[in-house]
Amino acid sequence: MNLPFPFPVVRWTGQSVRLIDQTRLPGELVFRDCTTVDQLCAAIRELAVRGAPAIGVAAAFGMVLANHRGEPLDEARARLAATRPTAVNLFWALERMAQVADPDGLLAEAEAIMAEDLAMGRAMGEAGQALLPDPCTVLTHCNAGGLATAGYGTALGVVYAAHEAGKRITVFADETRPLLQGARLTAWELQARGIPVTVLPDVAAATVLRQGRVDAVITGADRIAANGDVANKIGTYPLAALAARHGVPFYVAVPSSTIDPATASGDSIPIEERDPDEVHRFGGERFTPEGVAAHNPAFDVTPAELVAAIVTEDGVHRPPYRFASA
Amino acid sequence: MNLPFPFPVVRWTGQSVRLIDQTRLPGELVFRDCTTVDQLCAAIRELAVRGAPAIGVAAAFGMVLANHRGEPLDEARARLAATRPTAVNLFWALERMAQVADPDGLLAEAEAIMAEDLAMGRAMGEAGQALLPDPCTVLTHCNAGGLATAGYGTALGVVYAAHEAGKRITVFADETRPLLQGARLTAWELQARGIPVTVLPDVAAATVLRQGRVDAVITGADRIAANGDVANKIGTYPLAALAARHGVPFYVAVPSSTIDPATASGDSIPIEERDPDEVHRFGGERFTPEGVAAHNPAFDVTPAELVAAIVTEDGVHRPPYRFASA
């Protein structure tokens, strides 16, 4: 694995948006070049690029691509905004790009969004790692790593910062059904960084928490409401509830662009319902009987009362959470 | 689907123990003939037959097979007892078979164990369905159905009895990673019985509970301790904890042979750790990177305080639970 770190998750090549195709990991490291906005929208929908901060960066470069191809910018922005409903970073990044008056400034703005995300990853990692003991076992859900961001990570950014600070850190990675981002992506990038990782079925997390084998649970988020309610990958809410039950702190690490003061509480966060085939099938094979229904909500909402701290590039926020517009 | 109900999960053919091969469902309905005790032990280990009551019935017929082939009965019993550590019905059935003095009486005893399990299924179904409103949505985990028993079911026996009583009942079936018994087996048998079923990722159960879409959670069990602690498929404990959090009753339906008064509490129930490859792979394909570890406990323990009622063929038991030897 000769990939540099921070990972080159999204790049502008001069004529295409180049993504690490995360649907192919960990089996193959393949880059996907999106040469039209429609190709990039498809890549976002298919989760070739996923993770709230990474989607924001990809959408920003999507506007660069639209300008490069001479596509109407308003239309391109609308199509990119319609790809995924929950992650607020997507809308935040598109809004920033919309504020750029001179189209020649779009590339610089997209590069700035990417650079800021990397810097925020390092800053939140540093703030978050101070919360962790040494040695430390962290449990995480889904992939809130370098691959979910411009390259450094949110929840895993905290792990990387602890590792870089010399702490002996190990990770339990929930496999994260239905799309196994934990088993595929979190395990892959932790292994690449030399950090011991053990994958487990999502529902086995409750037992390792009960057994006192976890010092902290850390996840990322797709949107945080003004009151601190957290929308994140389906399975985060039961994990936070079990962590609270066993006195294990549940932390959320996000760039401040994931906090949406315009959303009062989790009740008003739209939750994406994805294709039931993600539940019916895996690796092509169908596991449920034909004709049976499946329910596939992509996210759930963790009430703020279960969140011990929210870590951003600004530092560690403690409850009660009252996020206001800057 | 022309399979009769109760399902012919285990049968003695006169020279073999014939099982529905549950590893092939729902794709194919295939019967597996075990003509040696070793073949039957392999079938139990590979989960071709699984579910605590069904394992007990299969082991009883295994002793018939050993006698038919002239194998030493003590050795056969020891090999059958060593197949799975958690389900107490296995040891209970083998102990009953050991009490049969005349080898010619083994077949009658095994048939009696099977017939009693069917009768217990109907009795606990009747007792349990009285707990359910009409209409009713039940959420269940793993497969505690006809396929897990002599043919009628424990948790799904309650569902079948409610259906037979004319109640409008629908089911959410947790898919049940890693081996997808919910997606494969529970969905299959509910569909076969004409009961509406929706499969969902295990961790999505928390959200449908939170949304008030579930009237009762019902599971089976592999062993219940004297104090009411419940060992069952990994994922049962977090489900029970979330049900309690949302005021939804969590019921366990078992034949009384699943209750082990000799086990004081859940702390002394041995938990089987299964092959990590069940987590690494999905339908043959490996999803985790090579070299990464996986943790695969087959069961977890739900503390009695989370169990609203334990339903057996004797009726509905309410806390505090104090099970004593008969």
Side-chain angles (χ1 to χ4, degrees), chain A residues 241-260:
Chain A
L242 269 294
R245 193 176 162 85
H246 295 291
V248 177
F250 173 73
Y251 301 130
V252 177
V254 291
S256 56
S257 54
T258 299
I259 298 170
D260 181 20

mmCIF file of all heavy atoms in Angstrom, chain A residues 241-260:
data_model
loop_
_atom_site.group_PDB
_atom_site.id
_atom_site.type_symbol
_atom_site.label_atom_id
_atom_site.label_comp_id
_atom_site.label_asym_id
_atom_site.label_seq_id
_atom_site.Cartn_x
_atom_site.Cartn_y
_atom_site.Cartn_z
ATOM 1 N N ALA A 241 -26.530 4.694 22.702
ATOM 2 C CA ALA A 241 -27.382 4.308 23.838
ATOM 3 C C ALA A 241 -26.687 3.246 24.682
ATOM 4 O O ALA A 241 -26.723 3.292 25.920
ATOM 5 C CB ALA A 241 -28.734 3.801 23.326
ATOM 6 N N LEU A 242 -26.043 2.281 24.044
ATOM 7 C CA LEU A 242 -25.344 1.229 24.787
ATOM 8 C C LEU A 242 -24.102 1.783 25.476
ATOM 9 O O LEU A 242 -23.781 1.379 26.599
ATOM 10 C CB LEU A 242 -24.977 0.064 23.855
ATOM 11 C CG LEU A 242 -26.001 -1.062 23.742
ATOM 12 C CD1 LEU A 242 -26.161 -1.799 25.066
ATOM 13 C CD2 LEU A 242 -27.358 -0.620 23.251
ATOM 14 N N ALA A 243 -23.397 2.694 24.820
ATOM 15 C CA ALA A 243 -22.233 3.308 25.466
ATOM 16 C C ALA A 243 -22.673 4.018 26.751
ATOM 17 O O ALA A 243 -22.056 3.854 27.811
ATOM 18 C CB ALA A 243 -21.546 4.282 24.506
ATOM 19 N N ALA A 244 -23.767 4.771 26.667
ATOM 20 C CA ALA A 244 -24.271 5.471 27.860
ATOM 21 C C ALA A 244 -24.631 4.472 28.948
ATOM 22 O O ALA A 244 -24.316 4.671 30.134
ATOM 23 C CB ALA A 244 -25.489 6.323 27.488
ATOM 24 N N ARG A 245 -25.264 3.392 28.559
ATOM 25 C CA ARG A 245 -25.669 2.360 29.529
ATOM 26 C C ARG A 245 -24.475 1.800 30.286
ATOM 27 O O ARG A 245 -24.589 1.401 31.438
ATOM 28 C CB ARG A 245 -26.387 1.256 28.747
ATOM 29 C CG ARG A 245 -27.135 0.266 29.594
ATOM 30 C CD ARG A 245 -27.902 -0.735 28.721
ATOM 31 N NE ARG A 245 -28.222 -1.873 29.531
ATOM 32 C CZ ARG A 245 -29.292 -1.967 30.313
ATOM 33 N NH1 ARG A 245 -30.173 -1.007 30.329
ATOM 34 N NH2 ARG A 245 -29.476 -3.033 31.063
ATOM 35 N N HIS A 246 -23.321 1.768 29.626
ATOM 36 C CA HIS A 246 -22.138 1.169 30.248
ATOM 37 C C HIS A 246 -21.098 2.204 30.666
ATOM 38 O O HIS A 246 -19.953 1.856 30.960
ATOM 39 C CB HIS A 246 -21.541 0.113 29.310
ATOM 40 C CG HIS A 246 -22.473 -1.033 29.121
ATOM 41 N ND1 HIS A 246 -22.771 -1.917 30.138
ATOM 42 C CD2 HIS A 246 -23.230 -1.411 28.069
ATOM 43 C CE1 HIS A 246 -23.661 -2.798 29.707
ATOM 44 N NE2 HIS A 246 -23.954 -2.514 28.459
ATOM 45 N N GLY A 247 -21.507 3.462 30.678
ATOM 46 C CA GLY A 247 -20.609 4.496 31.188
ATOM 47 C C GLY A 247 -19.389 4.739 30.329
ATOM 48 O O GLY A 247 -18.356 5.217 30.816
ATOM 49 N N VAL A 248 -19.489 4.416 29.041
ATOM 50 C CA VAL A 248 -18.374 4.666 28.114
ATOM 51 C C VAL A 248 -18.682 5.960 27.359
ATOM 52 O O VAL A 248 -19.774 6.096 26.805
ATOM 53 C CB VAL A 248 -18.209 3.491 27.126
ATOM 54 C CG1 VAL A 248 -17.109 3.779 26.110
ATOM 55 C CG2 VAL A 248 -17.927 2.203 27.886
ATOM 56 N N PRO A 249 -17.748 6.932 27.320
ATOM 57 C CA PRO A 249 -18.068 8.188 26.649
ATOM 58 C C PRO A 249 -18.260 8.010 25.145
ATOM 59 O O PRO A 249 -17.497 7.294 24.498
ATOM 60 C CB PRO A 249 -16.857 9.084 26.945
ATOM 61 C CG PRO A 249 -15.749 8.144 27.298
ATOM 62 C CD PRO A 249 -16.401 6.933 27.922
ATOM 63 N N PHE A 250 -19.293 8.646 24.619
ATOM 64 C CA PHE A 250 -19.576 8.645 23.183
ATOM 65 C C PHE A 250 -19.238 10.030 22.640
ATOM 66 O O PHE A 250 -19.859 11.019 23.019
ATOM 67 C CB PHE A 250 -21.053 8.320 22.938
ATOM 68 C CG PHE A 250 -21.465 8.471 21.496
ATOM 69 C CD1 PHE A 250 -21.054 7.552 20.542
ATOM 70 C CD2 PHE A 250 -22.251 9.537 21.088
ATOM 71 C CE1 PHE A 250 -21.421 7.700 19.207
ATOM 72 C CE2 PHE A 250 -22.624 9.694 19.758
ATOM 73 C CZ PHE A 250 -22.201 8.765 18.819
ATOM 74 N N TYR A 251 -18.211 10.081 21.784
ATOM 75 C CA TYR A 251 -17.745 11.337 21.216
ATOM 76 C C TYR A 251 -18.054 11.388 19.727
ATOM 77 O O TYR A 251 -18.019 10.367 19.034
ATOM 78 C CB TYR A 251 -16.220 11.473 21.365
ATOM 79 C CG TYR A 251 -15.706 11.439 22.780
ATOM 80 C CD1 TYR A 251 -14.654 10.584 23.133
ATOM 81 C CD2 TYR A 251 -16.243 12.264 23.769
ATOM 82 C CE1 TYR A 251 -14.155 10.554 24.426
ATOM 83 C CE2 TYR A 251 -15.754 12.239 25.070
ATOM 84 C CZ TYR A 251 -14.705 11.378 25.397
ATOM 85 O OH TYR A 251 -14.220 11.347 26.681
ATOM 86 N N VAL A 252 -18.318 12.595 19.222
ATOM 87 C CA VAL A 252 -18.520 12.808 17.795
ATOM 88 C C VAL A 252 -17.480 13.824 17.332
ATOM 89 O O VAL A 252 -17.308 14.866 17.973
ATOM 90 C CB VAL A 252 -19.944 13.333 17.515
ATOM 91 C CG1 VAL A 252 -20.132 13.614 16.030
ATOM 92 C CG2 VAL A 252 -20.981 12.324 18.000
ATOM 93 N N ALA A 253 -16.774 13.500 16.257
ATOM 94 C CA ALA A 253 -15.736 14.400 15.730
ATOM 95 C C ALA A 253 -16.142 14.851 14.338
ATOM 96 O O ALA A 253 -16.380 14.017 13.453
ATOM 97 C CB ALA A 253 -14.385 13.685 15.683
ATOM 98 N N VAL A 254 -16.232 16.159 14.154
ATOM 99 C CA VAL A 254 -16.694 16.729 12.880
ATOM 100 C C VAL A 254 -16.019 18.067 12.607
ATOM 101 O O VAL A 254 -15.688 18.802 13.542
ATOM 102 C CB VAL A 254 -18.223 16.988 12.882
ATOM 103 C CG1 VAL A 254 -19.020 15.698 12.897
ATOM 104 C CG2 VAL A 254 -18.619 17.885 14.046
ATOM 105 N N PRO A 255 -15.852 18.414 11.326
ATOM 106 C CA PRO A 255 -15.517 19.808 11.029
ATOM 107 C C PRO A 255 -16.753 20.657 11.320
ATOM 108 O O PRO A 255 -17.886 20.167 11.252
ATOM 109 C CB PRO A 255 -15.204 19.779 9.531
ATOM 110 C CG PRO A 255 -15.942 18.604 8.997
ATOM 111 C CD PRO A 255 -15.986 17.596 10.114
ATOM 112 N N SER A 256 -16.549 21.929 11.631
ATOM 113 C CA SER A 256 -17.702 22.762 12.004
ATOM 114 C C SER A 256 -18.699 22.896 10.858
ATOM 115 O O SER A 256 -19.861 23.225 11.092
ATOM 116 C CB SER A 256 -17.225 24.129 12.492
ATOM 117 O OG SER A 256 -16.435 24.726 11.500
ATOM 118 N N SER A 257 -18.278 22.571 9.627
ATOM 119 C CA SER A 257 -19.212 22.627 8.495
ATOM 120 C C SER A 257 -20.300 21.561 8.597
ATOM 121 O O SER A 257 -21.291 21.618 7.867
ATOM 122 C CB SER A 257 -18.442 22.480 7.174
ATOM 123 O OG SER A 257 -17.644 21.317 7.185
ATOM 124 N N THR A 258 -20.134 20.584 9.488
ATOM 125 C CA THR A 258 -21.151 19.542 9.667
ATOM 126 C C THR A 258 -22.243 19.996 10.631
ATOM 127 O O THR A 258 -23.305 19.393 10.725
ATOM 128 C CB THR A 258 -20.468 18.246 10.173
ATOM 129 O OG1 THR A 258 -19.530 17.820 9.195
ATOM 130 C CG2 THR A 258 -21.451 17.125 10.429
ATOM 131 N N ILE A 259 -21.961 21.056 11.385
ATOM 132 C CA ILE A 259 -22.953 21.584 12.323
ATOM 133 C C ILE A 259 -23.859 22.546 11.570
ATOM 134 O O ILE A 259 -23.384 23.445 10.873
ATOM 135 C CB ILE A 259 -22.261 22.288 13.503
ATOM 136 C CG1 ILE A 259 -21.412 21.263 14.268
ATOM 137 C CG2 ILE A 259 -23.292 22.944 14.414
ATOM 138 C CD1 ILE A 259 -20.496 21.882 15.311
ATOM 139 N N ASP A 260 -25.163 22.325 11.685
ATOM 140 C CA ASP A 260 -26.136 23.113 10.932
ATOM 141 C C ASP A 260 -27.048 23.857 11.896
ATOM 142 O O ASP A 260 -28.082 23.333 12.320
ATOM 143 C CB ASP A 260 -26.955 22.181 10.038
ATOM 144 C CG ASP A 260 -27.962 22.949 9.200
ATOM 145 O OD1 ASP A 260 -27.776 24.172 9.024
ATOM 146 O OD2 ASP A 260 -28.931 22.326 8.728
#
